[in-house]
Amino acid sequence: MAADKGEQAVEQALVEQWREMLALHARTQCELDRALHGHGLCASDFEVLDVLSGTAPAGACDFRVQEIAERVHLSQSALSRLIARLEKDGLVGRAMCPEDRRGVRVALTERGRELHGEVLPVQRSVLSRMLTDSG
């Protein structure tokens, strides 16, 4: 029975750690949404712009939609809606994938690249505050 109590304590500690991680994620997501709102973005919008800014030269379509989905942890359908909105706002462009005509590649527009550069310090500041002060 002592082993059972020890196992229960370990299990409970894991559950508490998991819940603390979820709470930190939720608080950070809310802070990011608040900070980015004035720039017309939410946290998920920024994540897509940030992924695209990493390797795609201006005007190039460097990422397939499913590659972005893996990096931003959104379903492909949710990401497709988000990309459509970003495209409507002139922040990204879509093009057919030359190696697979069924695929779509996405890249930042010049406007998207400028906005990303403008809000990058805002996002990084929120992350720094939320993730270094949380301990």
Side-chain angles (χ1 to χ4, degrees), residues 29-126:
Q29 192 80 11
C30 286
E31 285 298 313
L32 287 168
D33 284 340
R34 273 191 219 107
L36 297 171
H37 180 75
H39 299 276
L41 298 173
C42 68
S44 295
D45 298 339
F46 177 84
E47 286 301 316
V48 170
L49 298 180
D50 202 41
V51 166
L52 292 173
S53 75
T55 61
C61 293
D62 253 24
F63 285 95
R64 291 175 65 136
V65 173
Q66 53 269 43
E67 293 170 330
I68 299 168
E70 293 167 3
R71 293 171 185 237
V72 299
H73 308 289
L74 292 173
S75 69
Q76 202 162 340
S77 61
L79 179 61
S80 292
R81 289 188 301 274
L82 188 152
I83 288 171
R85 189 169 31 81
L86 294 176
E87 184 177 38
K88 182 180 166 210
D89 293 343
L91 301 175
V92 303
R94 291 189 274 191
M96 295 306 294
C97 181
E99 61 273 4
D100 177 3
R101 299 296 291 167
R102 296 169 297 168
V104 175
R105 293 180 96 56
V106 182
L108 288 177
T109 61
E110 189 57 39
R111 182 173 173 203
R113 196 168 289 289
E114 289 171 8
L115 182 59
H116 176 264
E118 180 184 316
V119 297
L120 180 66
V122 174
Q123 190 259 8
R124 298 301 199 257
S125 174
V126 170

Coordinates of all heavy atoms in Angstrom, one line a residue, residues 29-126:
Q29 N -0.8 32.9 -24.3 CA -1.6 33.1 -25.5 C -2.5 34.3 -25.4 O -2.6 35.1 -26.4 CB -2.4 31.8 -25.8 CG -3.1 31.7 -27.1 CD -2.1 31.3 -28.2 OE1 -1.1 30.8 -28.0 NE2 -2.6 31.4 -29.4
C30 N -3.1 34.5 -24.3 CA -4.0 35.6 -24.1 C -3.2 36.9 -24.1 O -3.6 37.9 -24.7 CB -4.7 35.5 -22.7 SG -6.0 34.3 -22.7
E31 N -2.0 37.0 -23.5 CA -1.1 38.1 -23.5 C -0.7 38.4 -24.9 O -0.6 39.6 -25.3 CB 0.1 38.0 -22.6 CG -0.3 38.1 -21.1 CD -0.8 39.5 -20.8 OE1 -0.2 40.5 -21.2 OE2 -1.8 39.6 -20.1
L32 N -0.3 37.4 -25.7 CA 0.1 37.6 -27.1 C -1.1 38.2 -27.9 O -0.9 39.1 -28.7 CB 0.6 36.3 -27.7 CG 1.9 35.8 -27.2 CD1 2.2 34.4 -27.7 CD2 3.0 36.7 -27.7
D33 N -2.3 37.6 -27.7 CA -3.4 38.1 -28.5 C -3.7 39.6 -28.1 O -3.9 40.4 -29.0 CB -4.7 37.3 -28.2 CG -4.7 35.9 -28.9 OD1 -3.9 35.8 -29.9 OD2 -5.4 35.1 -28.4
R34 N -3.6 40.0 -26.9 CA -3.8 41.4 -26.5 C -2.7 42.3 -27.1 O -3.0 43.3 -27.6 CB -3.7 41.5 -24.9 CG -5.0 41.3 -24.3 CD -5.0 41.7 -22.8 NE -5.8 40.7 -22.0 CZ -5.3 39.8 -21.3 NH1 -4.0 39.7 -21.0 NH2 -6.1 38.9 -20.7
A35 N -1.5 41.9 -27.0 CA -0.4 42.7 -27.5 C -0.4 42.9 -29.0 O -0.1 43.9 -29.5 CB 1.0 42.1 -27.1
L36 N -0.8 41.8 -29.7 CA -0.8 41.9 -31.2 C -2.1 42.4 -31.8 O -2.1 42.8 -33.0 CB -0.6 40.4 -31.7 CG 0.8 39.8 -31.4 CD1 0.8 38.4 -31.8 CD2 1.9 40.6 -32.0
H37 N -3.2 42.5 -31.0 CA -4.5 43.0 -31.5 C -4.4 44.4 -32.1 O -5.0 44.6 -33.1 CB -5.5 43.0 -30.3 CG -6.8 43.5 -30.7 ND1 -7.7 42.7 -31.5 CD2 -7.5 44.7 -30.5 CE1 -8.8 43.4 -31.7 NE2 -8.7 44.6 -31.1
G38 N -3.6 45.3 -31.5 CA -3.5 46.6 -32.0 C -2.8 46.6 -33.4 O -2.9 47.6 -34.1
H39 N -2.2 45.5 -33.8 CA -1.5 45.4 -35.1 C -2.4 44.6 -36.1 O -1.9 44.3 -37.2 CB -0.2 44.8 -35.0 CG 0.8 45.5 -34.1 ND1 1.5 46.6 -34.5 CD2 1.0 45.4 -32.8 CE1 2.2 47.1 -33.5 NE2 2.0 46.4 -32.4
G40 N -3.6 44.3 -35.6 CA -4.5 43.5 -36.5 C -4.2 42.0 -36.6 O -4.7 41.4 -37.5
L41 N -3.5 41.5 -35.6 CA -3.1 40.1 -35.6 C -3.5 39.4 -34.3 O -3.7 40.1 -33.3 CB -1.6 40.0 -35.8 CG -0.9 40.5 -37.0 CD1 0.6 40.4 -36.9 CD2 -1.4 39.8 -38.2
C42 N -3.6 38.1 -34.4 CA -3.7 37.3 -33.2 C -2.4 36.5 -33.1 O -1.6 36.5 -34.0 CB -4.9 36.5 -33.2 SG -4.9 35.1 -34.4
A43 N -2.2 35.7 -32.0 CA -1.0 34.9 -31.8 C -0.8 33.9 -33.0 O 0.3 33.7 -33.4 CB -1.1 34.3 -30.5
S44 N -1.9 33.3 -33.4 CA -1.8 32.3 -34.5 C -1.3 33.0 -35.8 O -0.5 32.4 -36.5 CB -3.1 31.5 -34.7 OG -3.4 30.8 -33.5
D45 N -1.9 34.1 -36.1 CA -1.5 34.9 -37.3 C 0.0 35.1 -37.2 O 0.7 34.9 -38.2 CB -2.2 36.2 -37.4 CG -3.7 36.2 -37.5 OD1 -4.2 35.1 -37.9 OD2 -4.3 37.2 -37.1
F46 N 0.5 35.6 -36.1 CA 1.9 35.9 -35.9 C 2.7 34.7 -36.1 O 3.8 34.7 -36.8 CB 2.2 36.6 -34.6 CG 3.7 36.8 -34.5 CD1 4.3 38.0 -35.0 CD2 4.5 35.9 -33.9 CE1 5.6 38.2 -35.0 CE2 5.9 36.1 -33.8 CZ 6.5 37.2 -34.4
E47 N 2.3 33.5 -35.6 CA 3.1 32.3 -35.7 C 3.3 31.9 -37.2 O 4.4 31.5 -37.6 CB 2.5 31.2 -35.0 CG 2.6 31.3 -33.5 CD 4.1 31.3 -33.0 OE1 4.9 30.5 -33.5 OE2 4.4 32.1 -32.1
V48 N 2.3 32.1 -38.0 CA 2.4 31.8 -39.4 C 3.4 32.8 -40.1 O 4.2 32.4 -40.8 CB 1.0 31.8 -40.1 CG1 1.1 31.7 -41.6 CG2 0.2 30.6 -39.6
L49 N 3.2 34.1 -39.8 CA 4.1 35.0 -40.4 C 5.6 34.8 -39.9 O 6.5 34.9 -40.7 CB 3.7 36.5 -39.9 CG 2.4 37.0 -40.4 CD1 2.2 38.4 -39.9 CD2 2.2 36.9 -41.9
D50 N 5.7 34.4 -38.7 CA 7.1 34.1 -38.1 C 7.7 32.9 -38.8 O 8.9 32.9 -39.2 CB 7.0 33.9 -36.6 CG 8.3 34.1 -35.9 OD1 9.0 35.1 -36.3 OD2 8.6 33.3 -35.0
V51 N 6.9 31.8 -39.0 CA 7.4 30.6 -39.7 C 7.8 31.0 -41.2 O 8.9 30.7 -41.6 CB 6.4 29.5 -39.8 CG1 6.8 28.4 -40.8 CG2 6.2 28.9 -38.4
L52 N 7.0 31.8 -41.8 CA 7.3 32.2 -43.2 C 8.5 33.1 -43.3 O 9.2 33.1 -44.3 CB 6.0 32.8 -43.8 CG 4.9 31.9 -44.1 CD1 3.6 32.6 -44.6 CD2 5.2 30.8 -45.1
S53 N 8.7 33.9 -42.3 CA 9.8 34.9 -42.3 C 11.1 34.2 -42.2 O 12.2 34.8 -42.5 CB 9.6 35.9 -41.3 OG 10.0 35.4 -40.0
G54 N 11.1 33.0 -41.7 CA 12.4 32.3 -41.3 C 13.3 32.0 -42.5 O 14.5 32.1 -42.5
T55 N 12.7 31.6 -43.7 CA 13.5 31.1 -44.8 C 13.1 31.6 -46.1 O 13.9 31.6 -47.0 CB 13.4 29.5 -44.8 OG1 12.1 29.2 -45.1 CG2 14.0 28.9 -43.6
A56 N 11.9 32.1 -46.2 CA 11.4 32.5 -47.6 C 11.8 33.9 -48.0 O 11.5 34.9 -47.3 CB 9.9 32.4 -47.6
P57 N 12.6 34.0 -49.0 CA 12.9 35.4 -49.5 C 11.7 36.0 -50.0 O 10.7 35.4 -50.4 CB 13.9 35.1 -50.6 CG 13.9 33.7 -51.0 CD 13.2 33.0 -49.8
A58 N 11.6 37.3 -50.0 CA 10.4 38.1 -50.4 C 9.9 37.6 -51.8 O 10.7 37.5 -52.7 CB 10.7 39.6 -50.5
G59 N 8.7 37.2 -51.8 CA 8.1 36.8 -53.1 C 8.2 35.3 -53.3 O 7.5 34.8 -54.2
A60 N 9.0 34.6 -52.6 CA 9.2 33.1 -52.9 C 8.2 32.4 -52.0 O 7.8 32.8 -51.0 CB 10.6 32.7 -52.5
C61 N 7.7 31.2 -52.5 CA 6.7 30.4 -51.8 C 7.5 29.2 -51.3 O 7.7 28.2 -52.0 CB 5.6 30.0 -52.7 SG 4.6 31.3 -53.2
D62 N 7.9 29.3 -50.0 CA 8.8 28.3 -49.5 C 8.2 27.2 -48.7 O 8.8 26.2 -48.5 CB 9.8 29.0 -48.6 CG 11.2 29.1 -49.2 OD1 11.3 29.0 -50.5 OD2 12.2 29.1 -48.5
F63 N 6.9 27.4 -48.2 CA 6.3 26.4 -47.4 C 5.0 25.9 -47.9 O 4.2 26.7 -48.3 CB 6.1 26.9 -46.0 CG 7.3 27.0 -45.1 CD1 8.0 28.2 -45.1 CD2 7.8 26.0 -44.4 CE1 9.1 28.4 -44.3 CE2 8.9 26.1 -43.6 CZ 9.6 27.3 -43.6
R64 N 4.8 24.6 -47.9 CA 3.5 24.0 -48.2 C 2.7 24.2 -47.0 O 3.2 24.2 -45.9 CB 3.7 22.5 -48.6 CG 4.4 22.3 -49.9 CD 4.6 20.9 -50.1 NE 3.3 20.2 -50.3 CZ 3.1 19.3 -51.2 NH1 4.0 19.0 -52.1 NH2 1.9 18.8 -51.3
V65 N 1.4 24.2 -47.2 CA 0.4 24.4 -46.1 C 0.6 23.4 -45.0 O 0.7 23.7 -43.8 CB -1.0 24.5 -46.6 CG1 -2.0 24.5 -45.4 CG2 -1.2 25.7 -47.5
Q66 N 0.8 22.1 -45.4 CA 0.9 21.1 -44.4 C 2.2 21.2 -43.6 O 2.3 20.9 -42.4 CB 0.8 19.7 -45.0 CG 1.6 19.3 -46.1 CD 1.0 19.7 -47.5 OE1 0.4 20.7 -47.6 NE2 1.1 18.8 -48.4
E67 N 3.3 21.8 -44.2 CA 4.5 22.0 -43.5 C 4.3 23.1 -42.4 O 4.9 23.0 -41.3 CB 5.6 22.5 -44.4 CG 6.1 21.4 -45.4 CD 7.0 21.9 -46.5 OE1 6.9 23.0 -46.9 OE2 7.8 21.0 -46.9
I68 N 3.5 24.1 -42.8 CA 3.3 25.2 -41.8 C 2.4 24.7 -40.7 O 2.7 24.9 -39.5 CB 2.5 26.4 -42.5 CG1 3.4 27.0 -43.6 CG2 2.1 27.5 -41.5 CD1 2.7 28.0 -44.5
A69 N 1.4 23.8 -41.0 CA 0.5 23.2 -40.0 C 1.3 22.5 -38.9 O 1.0 22.5 -37.7 CB -0.5 22.3 -40.7
E70 N 2.4 21.8 -39.4 CA 3.2 21.0 -38.4 C 4.0 21.9 -37.5 O 4.2 21.6 -36.3 CB 4.2 20.1 -39.2 CG 3.5 19.0 -39.9 CD 4.5 18.3 -40.9 OE1 5.7 18.7 -41.0 OE2 4.0 17.4 -41.7
R71 N 4.3 23.1 -37.9 CA 5.1 24.0 -37.1 C 4.3 24.9 -36.2 O 4.8 25.3 -35.2 CB 6.0 24.9 -38.1 CG 7.0 24.1 -38.8 CD 7.7 25.0 -39.8 NE 8.6 24.2 -40.6 CZ 9.9 24.5 -40.8 NH1 10.4 25.5 -40.2 NH2 10.6 23.7 -41.5
V72 N 3.0 25.2 -36.6 CA 2.2 26.1 -35.8 C 1.1 25.3 -35.0 O 0.4 25.9 -34.3 CB 1.6 27.2 -36.6 CG1 2.6 28.1 -37.2 CG2 0.6 26.7 -37.6
H73 N 1.1 24.0 -35.1 CA 0.2 23.2 -34.4 C -1.3 23.6 -34.5 O -2.0 23.7 -33.5 CB 0.6 23.2 -32.9 CG 2.0 22.8 -32.7 ND1 2.5 21.6 -32.9 CD2 3.1 23.6 -32.4 CE1 3.8 21.6 -32.8 NE2 4.2 22.8 -32.4
L74 N -1.7 23.8 -35.8 CA -3.1 24.0 -36.1 C -3.5 22.9 -37.1 O -2.7 22.4 -37.8 CB -3.3 25.4 -36.8 CG -3.0 26.6 -36.0 CD1 -3.1 27.8 -37.0 CD2 -4.1 26.8 -34.9
S75 N -4.8 22.6 -37.1 CA -5.3 21.7 -38.0 C -5.1 22.3 -39.4 O -5.1 23.5 -39.6 CB -6.7 21.3 -37.8 OG -7.5 22.4 -38.1
Q76 N -5.1 21.4 -40.4 CA -4.9 22.0 -41.8 C -6.1 22.8 -42.2 O -5.9 23.8 -42.9 CB -4.7 20.8 -42.8 CG -4.0 21.3 -44.0 CD -3.4 20.2 -44.8 OE1 -3.1 19.1 -44.3 NE2 -3.1 20.4 -46.1
S77 N -7.3 22.5 -41.8 CA -8.5 23.3 -42.1 C -8.4 24.6 -41.4 O -8.7 25.7 -42.0 CB -9.8 22.5 -41.8 OG -9.9 22.3 -40.4
A78 N -8.1 24.7 -40.1 CA -8.0 25.9 -39.4 C -6.9 26.8 -40.0 O -7.0 28.0 -40.2 CB -7.7 25.7 -37.9
L79 N -5.8 26.2 -40.4 CA -4.7 26.9 -41.0 C -5.1 27.5 -42.4 O -4.7 28.6 -42.7 CB -3.4 26.0 -41.1 CG -2.2 26.7 -41.8 CD1 -1.8 27.9 -41.0 CD2 -1.1 25.7 -41.9
S80 N -5.8 26.7 -43.1 CA -6.3 27.2 -44.5 C -7.1 28.4 -44.3 O -7.0 29.3 -45.1 CB -7.0 26.0 -45.2 OG -6.1 25.0 -45.5
R81 N -8.0 28.4 -43.3 CA -8.8 29.6 -43.1 C -8.0 30.8 -42.7 O -8.2 31.9 -43.2 CB -9.9 29.3 -42.0 CG -11.0 28.4 -42.5 CD -12.2 28.3 -41.5 NE -11.8 27.8 -40.2 CZ -11.6 26.5 -39.8 NH1 -11.9 25.6 -40.7 NH2 -11.3 26.2 -38.6
L82 N -7.0 30.6 -41.8 CA -6.1 31.6 -41.4 C -5.3 32.2 -42.5 O -5.2 33.4 -42.7 CB -5.2 31.1 -40.3 CG -4.3 32.1 -39.5 CD1 -4.0 31.5 -38.1 CD2 -3.0 32.3 -40.2
I83 N -4.8 31.3 -43.4 CA -4.0 31.8 -44.5 C -4.9 32.5 -45.5 O -4.5 33.6 -46.0 CB -3.3 30.6 -45.2 CG1 -2.2 30.0 -44.3 CG2 -2.8 30.9 -46.6 CD1 -1.6 28.7 -44.8
A84 N -6.1 32.1 -45.7 CA -7.0 32.8 -46.6 C -7.3 34.3 -46.0 O -7.3 35.2 -46.8 CB -8.4 32.1 -46.7
R85 N -7.4 34.4 -44.7 CA -7.6 35.7 -44.1 C -6.3 36.6 -44.3 O -6.4 37.8 -44.6 CB -7.9 35.6 -42.6 CG -8.4 36.9 -42.0 CD -9.0 36.7 -40.6 NE -8.5 35.6 -39.8 CZ -7.4 35.5 -39.1 NH1 -6.6 36.6 -39.1 NH2 -7.0 34.5 -38.4
L86 N -5.1 36.0 -44.0 CA -3.9 36.7 -44.2 C -3.7 37.1 -45.7 O -3.2 38.2 -45.9 CB -2.7 35.9 -43.7 CG -2.6 35.6 -42.2 CD1 -1.5 34.6 -41.9 CD2 -2.6 36.8 -41.4
E87 N -4.1 36.2 -46.6 CA -4.0 36.6 -48.0 C -4.9 37.7 -48.3 O -4.5 38.7 -49.0 CB -4.3 35.4 -48.9 CG -4.1 35.6 -50.3 CD -4.4 34.4 -51.2 OE1 -5.3 33.6 -50.9 OE2 -3.7 34.2 -52.2
K88 N -6.1 37.7 -47.8 CA -7.1 38.8 -48.0 C -6.6 40.1 -47.5 O -6.8 41.2 -48.1 CB -8.4 38.5 -47.4 CG -9.5 39.5 -47.5 CD -10.8 39.0 -46.8 CE -11.7 40.2 -46.8 NZ -12.6 40.2 -45.6
D89 N -5.8 40.1 -46.4 CA -5.2 41.3 -45.8 C -3.9 41.7 -46.5 O -3.3 42.6 -46.1 CB -4.9 41.0 -44.3 CG -6.2 40.9 -43.5 OD1 -7.3 41.3 -44.0 OD2 -6.1 40.4 -42.4
G90 N -3.5 40.9 -47.5 CA -2.3 41.2 -48.3 C -1.0 40.9 -47.6 O 0.1 41.4 -48.0
L91 N -1.0 40.0 -46.6 CA 0.2 39.7 -45.9 C 0.9 38.4 -46.4 O 2.1 38.3 -46.2 CB -0.2 39.5 -44.4 CG -0.8 40.7 -43.7 CD1 -1.3 40.3 -42.3 CD2 0.1 41.9 -43.7
V92 N 0.2 37.5 -47.0 CA 0.8 36.3 -47.6 C 0.2 36.2 -49.0 O -0.9 36.7 -49.4 CB 0.5 35.0 -46.8 CG1 1.0 35.2 -45.4 CG2 -0.9 34.6 -46.8
G93 N 0.9 35.4 -49.8 CA 0.5 35.0 -51.1 C 0.5 33.5 -51.3 O 1.4 32.8 -50.6
R94 N -0.4 32.9 -52.1 CA -0.4 31.5 -52.3 C -0.1 31.2 -53.8 O -0.5 32.0 -54.6 CB -1.8 30.9 -51.9 CG -2.1 30.9 -50.5 CD -3.3 30.1 -50.2 NE -4.5 31.0 -50.3 CZ -5.7 30.6 -49.9 NH1 -5.9 29.4 -49.4 NH2 -6.7 31.4 -50.1
A95 N 0.5 30.1 -54.0 CA 0.8 29.7 -55.4 C 0.8 28.2 -55.5 O 1.0 27.5 -54.4 CB 2.2 30.2 -55.8
M96 N 0.5 27.7 -56.6 CA 0.5 26.2 -56.8 C 1.9 25.7 -56.6 O 2.9 26.3 -57.0 CB 0.0 25.8 -58.2 CG -1.5 26.2 -58.4 SD -2.6 25.5 -57.2 CE -2.5 23.8 -57.5
C97 N 2.0 24.5 -56.1 CA 3.3 23.9 -55.9 C 3.8 23.3 -57.2 O 3.1 22.5 -57.8 CB 3.2 22.8 -54.8 SG 4.6 21.9 -54.4
P98 N 5.0 23.8 -57.7 CA 5.4 23.3 -59.0 C 5.7 21.8 -59.1 O 5.4 21.2 -60.1 CB 6.7 24.1 -59.3 CG 7.0 24.8 -58.1 CD 5.9 24.7 -57.1
E99 N 6.1 21.2 -58.0 CA 6.4 19.7 -58.0 C 5.2 18.9 -57.8 O 5.2 17.7 -58.0 CB 7.6 19.4 -57.1 CG 7.3 19.7 -55.6 CD 7.6 21.1 -55.2 OE1 8.0 21.9 -56.0 OE2 7.5 21.4 -54.0
D100 N 4.1 19.5 -57.3 CA 2.9 18.7 -57.0 C 1.7 19.7 -57.2 O 1.4 20.5 -56.3 CB 2.9 18.1 -55.6 CG 1.6 17.4 -55.3 OD1 0.7 17.3 -56.1 OD2 1.5 16.9 -54.1
R101 N 1.0 19.6 -58.3 CA 0.0 20.6 -58.7 C -1.2 20.6 -57.7 O -2.0 21.5 -57.7 CB -0.5 20.4 -60.1 CG 0.5 20.5 -61.2 CD 1.1 21.9 -61.3 NE 0.1 22.8 -61.8 CZ 0.3 24.1 -61.8 NH1 1.3 24.7 -61.3 NH2 -0.7 24.9 -62.3
R102 N -1.3 19.6 -56.9 CA -2.3 19.5 -55.9 C -2.0 20.3 -54.6 O -2.8 20.7 -53.9 CB -2.6 18.1 -55.4 CG -3.2 17.2 -56.5 CD -3.2 15.8 -56.1 NE -1.8 15.4 -55.9 CZ -1.4 14.3 -55.3 NH1 -2.3 13.4 -54.9 NH2 -0.2 14.0 -55.2
G103 N -0.7 20.6 -54.4 CA -0.2 21.3 -53.3 C -0.2 22.8 -53.5 O -0.2 23.3 -54.6
V104 N -0.2 23.5 -52.3 CA -0.2 25.0 -52.3 C 1.0 25.4 -51.5 O 1.2 24.9 -50.4 CB -1.5 25.6 -51.8 CG1 -1.4 27.1 -51.6 CG2 -2.7 25.2 -52.6
R105 N 1.7 26.4 -52.0 CA 2.8 27.0 -51.3 C 2.5 28.4 -50.9 O 1.7 29.1 -51.5 CB 4.1 26.9 -52.1 CG 4.6 25.5 -52.3 CD 5.8 25.3 -53.1 NE 7.1 25.2 -52.5 CZ 7.4 24.3 -51.6 NH1 6.5 23.4 -51.2 NH2 8.6 24.2 -51.1
V106 N 3.0 28.8 -49.7 CA 2.7 30.1 -49.1 C 3.9 30.9 -48.8 O 4.9 30.3 -48.4 CB 1.9 29.9 -47.8 CG1 1.4 31.3 -47.2 CG2 0.6 29.0 -48.1
A107 N 3.9 32.2 -49.1 CA 5.0 33.1 -48.8 C 4.5 34.4 -48.3 O 3.4 34.8 -48.6 CB 5.9 33.3 -50.0
L108 N 5.4 35.1 -47.6 CA 5.0 36.5 -47.1 C 5.1 37.4 -48.3 O 5.9 37.3 -49.2 CB 6.1 37.0 -46.1 CG 6.1 36.4 -44.7 CD1 7.2 37.0 -43.9 CD2 4.8 36.7 -44.1
T109 N 4.2 38.4 -48.3 CA 4.3 39.5 -49.3 C 5.2 40.5 -48.6 O 5.6 40.4 -47.5 CB 2.9 40.1 -49.5 OG1 2.5 40.7 -48.2 CG2 1.9 39.1 -50.1
E110 N 5.6 41.5 -49.4 CA 6.4 42.6 -48.8 C 5.7 43.2 -47.6 O 6.3 43.5 -46.6 CB 6.7 43.7 -49.9 CG 7.7 44.7 -49.4 CD 9.1 44.1 -49.0 OE1 9.5 43.1 -49.6 OE2 9.6 44.5 -48.0
R111 N 4.4 43.4 -47.7 CA 3.6 44.0 -46.6 C 3.7 43.1 -45.4 O 3.8 43.5 -44.2 CB 2.2 44.2 -47.1 CG 1.3 44.8 -46.0 CD -0.1 45.2 -46.6 NE -0.9 45.6 -45.5 CZ -2.2 45.6 -45.6 NH1 -2.8 45.1 -46.7 NH2 -3.0 46.0 -44.6
G112 N 3.5 41.8 -45.6 CA 3.6 40.8 -44.5 C 5.0 40.8 -43.9 O 5.1 40.7 -42.6
R113 N 6.0 40.9 -44.7 CA 7.4 41.0 -44.1 C 7.6 42.2 -43.3 O 8.2 42.2 -42.2 CB 8.4 40.9 -45.3 CG 9.8 40.6 -44.9 CD 10.6 40.3 -46.1 NE 10.3 39.0 -46.8 CZ 10.6 37.8 -46.3 NH1 11.2 37.7 -45.1 NH2 10.2 36.7 -46.9
E114 N 7.1 43.3 -43.7 CA 7.2 44.6 -43.0 C 6.4 44.5 -41.6 O 6.9 44.9 -40.6 CB 6.6 45.8 -43.8 CG 7.5 46.1 -44.9 CD 6.9 47.2 -45.9 OE1 5.8 47.7 -45.6 OE2 7.5 47.4 -46.9
L115 N 5.2 44.0 -41.7 CA 4.4 43.8 -40.5 C 5.1 42.9 -39.5 O 5.1 43.1 -38.3 CB 3.0 43.4 -40.8 CG 2.0 43.2 -39.6 CD1 1.9 44.6 -38.8 CD2 0.7 42.7 -40.0
H116 N 5.6 41.8 -40.0 CA 6.3 40.8 -39.1 C 7.4 41.5 -38.4 O 7.6 41.4 -37.2 CB 6.8 39.6 -39.9 CG 7.6 38.7 -39.1 ND1 9.0 38.7 -39.1 CD2 7.3 37.7 -38.2 CE1 9.4 37.8 -38.2 NE2 8.4 37.2 -37.7
G117 N 8.2 42.3 -39.2 CA 9.4 43.0 -38.6 C 8.9 44.0 -37.5 O 9.6 44.2 -36.5
E118 N 7.8 44.6 -37.7 CA 7.2 45.6 -36.8 C 6.8 44.9 -35.5 O 7.0 45.5 -34.4 CB 6.1 46.3 -37.5 CG 5.4 47.4 -36.7 CD 4.2 47.9 -37.4 OE1 4.3 48.2 -38.6 OE2 3.1 48.1 -36.8
V119 N 6.1 43.8 -35.6 CA 5.5 43.2 -34.4 C 6.4 42.1 -33.7 O 6.2 41.7 -32.6 CB 4.1 42.5 -34.7 CG1 3.2 43.6 -35.1 CG2 4.2 41.4 -35.7
L120 N 7.5 41.7 -34.4 CA 8.4 40.8 -33.8 C 8.9 41.2 -32.4 O 8.8 40.4 -31.5 CB 9.6 40.5 -34.8 CG 10.7 39.5 -34.3 CD1 10.1 38.1 -34.2 CD2 11.9 39.5 -35.2
P121 N 9.4 42.4 -32.2 CA 9.8 42.8 -30.9 C 8.7 42.7 -29.8 O 8.9 42.4 -28.7 CB 10.3 44.2 -31.0 CG 10.5 44.4 -32.5 CD 9.6 43.5 -33.2
V122 N 7.5 43.0 -30.3 CA 6.3 43.0 -29.4 C 6.1 41.5 -28.9 O 6.0 41.3 -27.7 CB 5.0 43.5 -30.1 CG1 3.8 43.3 -29.2 CG2 5.2 45.0 -30.5
Q123 N 6.1 40.6 -29.9 CA 5.9 39.2 -29.5 C 7.0 38.7 -28.6 O 6.7 38.0 -27.7 CB 5.8 38.4 -30.8 CG 5.3 36.9 -30.6 CD 6.4 35.9 -30.6 OE1 7.6 36.3 -30.7 NE2 6.1 34.7 -30.6
R124 N 8.2 39.0 -29.0 CA 9.4 38.5 -28.2 C 9.4 39.0 -26.8 O 9.7 38.4 -25.9 CB 10.7 38.8 -28.9 CG 10.9 38.1 -30.3 CD 10.8 36.6 -30.2 NE 11.3 36.0 -31.4 CZ 10.7 35.4 -32.4 NH1 9.3 35.5 -32.4 NH2 11.3 34.9 -33.4
S125 N 8.9 40.3 -26.7 CA 8.8 40.9 -25.3 C 7.8 40.2 -24.5 O 8.1 39.9 -23.3 CB 8.5 42.4 -25.5 OG 8.3 43.0 -24.3
V126 N 6.7 39.9 -25.0 CA 5.6 39.1 -24.3 C 6.2 37.8 -23.9 O 6.0 37.4 -22.7 CB 4.3 39.0 -25.1 CG1 3.4 38.0 -24.4 CG2 3.7 40.4 -25.3

